[in-house]
Amino acid sequence: MKTLIRTGLIAFAATVGMASSSAYAGCVLAGGESVMVTEDLAKFMAGQALKHSIENHGWTARGAVRVKCDTSSVGLPHCTARQKACG
């Protein structure tokens, strides 16, 4: 009986592992961020960070890139670039 239960648990764990890996192959919201001297430079570098993140994970970019910048912080502008990416 213990062998049957143990075998069942191993089969269940293998099934859960396959389900989570196939779910990982779906789409994510990838991102990149940057803090630079000027807002234009921060936007550019955030876009580059996003591009490298997508490439390094082997994903394919989908849709438009959304860039949001926060210039209210003390000193330097902070920008975040986001885009849907699918594996």
Side-chain angles (χ1 to χ4, degrees):
M1 183 67 172
K2 287 182 182 179
T3 305
L4 180 61
I5 293 171
R6 192 172 301 147
T7 305
L9 289 174
I10 292 170
F12 175 73
T15 304
V16 170
M18 283 190 271
S20 63
S21 65
S22 65
Y24 182 72
C27 296
V28 297
L29 186 60
E33 58 182 9
S34 175
V35 176
M36 290 300 212
V37 177
T38 66
E39 186 174 344
D40 288 336
L41 190 55
K43 285 180 184 178
F44 174 76
M45 292 306 290
Q48 291 300 306
L50 169 67
K51 176 184 164 197
H52 290 296
S53 176
I54 291 172
E55 287 176 358
N56 289 340
H57 284 93
W59 295 329
T60 303
R62 310 268 179 167
V65 176
R66 293 172 297 203
V67 179
K68 183 178 180 182
C69 294
D70 178 21
T71 56
S72 64
S73 62
V74 178
L76 304 173
H78 172 258
C79 293
T80 304
R82 300 251 184 231
Q83 185 175 26
K84 184 177 179 180
C86 300

